Amino acid sequence: PGMAGGFLLEIRRGTQSALLVIRYEADFPSSPVDVSVAADCLETRSGGSCEAAALPAEVRLAPSSCRGLSRLPGDGLHLRMRLRRPPPSADLVFTLRESLKPQKNYIFYCQSCGDIIVKDRKFLRVLPLPSENWNALVEEWCCHPNPFARSTLHPKHDDCFLGDTFFLLHSGNESHKSKENTRVICKRCKTMLGETVSSGTIKYYVTEVIIRPSEGSFSPTPRPQFIQSMVAQCLVELSSAKSTFRFTVKGDNGKTYILIWLLNSDTLLVESLGSSSSHSVSTLFGDIFMPSSGPVRTWNAVKVLYQPCIKSRNKDLADAWENDMGVHPLKFPSETCLELLLILGLSTTSLPPSLRCMNSFQVRNSCY
């Protein structure tokens, strides 16, 4: 069968190291397998067949550093090595703070169906909000009564306030509010976009709305790809700004759905599907986040550990994290939390079995 299941190369930029997993769809071949590692390609020979895969131009291996060759049932061959040179740094995460600028006109689209939510809105001020527990911190630091106890941060008509997972706008003439409650829904597809904070303020979640300049064009992004990209961006930005690496994912109903532990954000993944036309081995993310099509594909990723918390799973751990000041909460619509949990599970099952768990947590790679 040769390299029928393809290979997965997981590269760490920080350490310039790589783990190579040569995967097989069925039982390991009975005939001997020769693995050849060159600086720019990989080759396997077995039973008279030979398969080779060229590596992307930015990835160059150091063959003399190969070590730790092992065969794991259900996985294939594992091999560790060094890089000849570090890959280029990942592009800076495209954050909401970078995409929104004052004095420019923007259109807000529903991410799910593309319907226009806010048309031609120009902001005079685009300002970051303090963390959600800023009022509690003021009480800890002030030696007198909190002067901001009765203060609320509501945007004016020409303001946009940015939070960790949402942004606040003056409601203006927008009429997407549900009559039953404070949920803000899309008129076309009925997806929850956010919620009303006050009579004049709407909170839109970053996972539900796409923002584009008025003079630009709108191109839809498949929902699973958009969710994991936005969540990965939130994790990377918050870990960098606040030196926090543990997160609880909560729904708008107040329930905790997922516990996430960010391991690293400097991973570069290289994947080859192999030669088989009917792959029983799942790819990490299908055809997304790849700079080019072809047999070998690359993308930047963050590696996380996670635990689901639905149906009272991991309740004790979730309660402990809830009371831990080092854990940062991320709030999304409850439906989006369930979508994210499904995406996490699919990503985990796409990894080789030996790489799916660490201690009691499940492992997942997430693109950004």
Side-chain angles (χ1 to χ4, degrees):
M3 201 160 38
F7 72 84
L8 175 65
L9 188 63
E10 184 178 297
I11 296 171
R12 290 291 307 278
R13 287 186 173 88
T15 59
Q16 297 184 38
S17 60
L19 169 64
L20 170 65
V21 181
I22 299 177
R23 310 169 83 169
Y24 289 88
E25 291 186 341
D27 294 335
F28 200 80
S30 56
S31 57
V33 178
D34 292 328
V35 179
S36 176
V37 178
D40 57 355
C41 70
L42 303 171
E43 183 180 277
T44 61
R45 296 176 181 269
S46 177
S49 64
C50 176
E51 295 184 21
L55 297 175
E58 67 269 24
V59 177
R60 287 297 178 264
L61 304 176
S64 60
S65 66
C66 292
R67 69 188 189 282
L69 177 62
S70 61
R71 170 194 166 188
L72 297 181
D75 278 18
L77 295 175
H78 283 230
L79 185 63
R80 294 190 177 275
M81 67 195 74
R82 304 281 297 174
L83 302 183
R84 178 168 290 183
R85 63 172 184 264
S89 300
D91 293 334
L92 292 176
V93 175
F94 183 73
T95 64
L96 195 62
R97 289 175 174 81
E98 296 170 346
S99 63
L100 279 173
K101 302 293 183 183
Q103 305 296 337
K104 288 189 177 183
N105 290 335
Y106 292 96
I107 298 178
F108 295 65
Y109 300 89
C110 169
Q111 197 282 322
S112 296
C113 70
D115 193 29
I116 293 179
I117 307 302
V118 180
K119 188 173 183 179
D120 289 332
R121 180 73 72 90
K122 179 188 288 187
F123 301 110
L124 297 181
R125 299 190 305 172
V126 179
L127 303 173
L129 287 167
S131 60
E132 293 187 6
N133 60 345
W134 70 276
N135 238 326
L137 293 176
V138 171
E139 292 180 353
E140 293 292 334
W141 282 95
C142 284
C143 59
H144 50 79
N146 183 357
F148 308 107
R150 297 183 180 180
S151 300
T152 55
L153 299 175
H154 295 307
K156 298 179 181 179
H157 180 74
D158 297 322
D159 291 340
C160 178
F161 293 170
L162 305 177
D164 294 337
T165 62
F166 62 89
F167 49 94
L168 299 181
L169 299 183
H170 190 275
S171 57
N173 297 322
E174 313 307 330
S175 58
H176 293 274
K177 179 180 176 180
S178 170
K179 295 181 180 179
E180 292 78 15
N181 49 42
T182 61
R183 290 163 64 93
V184 177
I185 61 175
C186 174
K187 292 180 179 179
R188 179 190 290 177
C189 68
K190 308 305 179 185
T191 296
M192 178 183 175
L193 305 173
E195 54 193 279
T196 56
V197 177
S198 68
S199 59
T201 303
I202 294 181
K203 174 195 289 186
Y204 288 106
Y205 289 102
V206 297
T207 53
E208 314 307 318
V209 176
I210 291 180
I211 305 172
R212 293 289 183 270
S214 296
E215 65 274 11
S217 59
F218 172 76
S219 57
T221 303
R223 180 86 179 140
Q225 303 165 19
F226 184 80
I227 290 176
Q228 65 181 347
S229 176
M230 293 307 298
V231 173
Q233 290 179 29
C234 289
L235 297 179
V236 172
E237 183 174 8
L238 287 170
S239 65
S240 175
K242 301 183 179 182
S243 296
T244 183
F245 303 96
R246 289 182 296 161
F247 305 87
T248 55
V249 177
K250 296 189 173 187
D252 61 285
N253 56 8
K255 295 182 179 179
T256 298
Y257 284 81
I258 315 169
L259 308 178
I260 293 181
W261 196 323
L262 177 64
L263 288 183
N264 67 69
S265 57
D266 66 344
T267 297
L268 175 65
L269 296 173
V270 183
E271 186 181 32
S272 168
L273 300 184
S275 61
S276 176
S277 58
S278 59
H279 295 286
S280 63
V281 177
S282 301
T283 60
L284 287 175
F285 301 107
D287 295 325
I288 62 176
F289 297 111
M290 297 170 191
S292 61
S293 60
V296 178
R297 303 170 296 184
T298 65
W299 58 93
N300 299 312
V302 298
K303 181 179 284 291
V304 302
L305 305 179
Y306 71 96
Q307 288 278 24
C309 296
I310 58 174
K311 298 182 179 179
S312 298
R313 293 180 61 183
N314 301 300
K315 185 178 184 305
D316 291 342
L317 182 60
D319 290 343
W321 280 34
E322 184 74 25
N323 298 319
D324 192 327
M325 290 292 291
V327 178
H328 191 83
L330 299 176
K331 183 179 177 182
F332 301 103
S334 300
E335 296 86 350
T336 300
C337 295
L338 292 173
E339 289 180 276
L340 177 60
L341 188 57
L342 176 60
I343 293 170
L344 289 167
L346 291 174
S347 174
T348 298
T349 57
S350 71
L351 292 171
S354 66
L355 302 180
R356 294 176 187 174
C357 294
M358 180 179 293
N359 297 331
S360 62
F361 284 79
Q362 299 180 68
V363 180
R364 192 249 188 186
N365 290 306
S366 177
C367 294
Y368 64 91

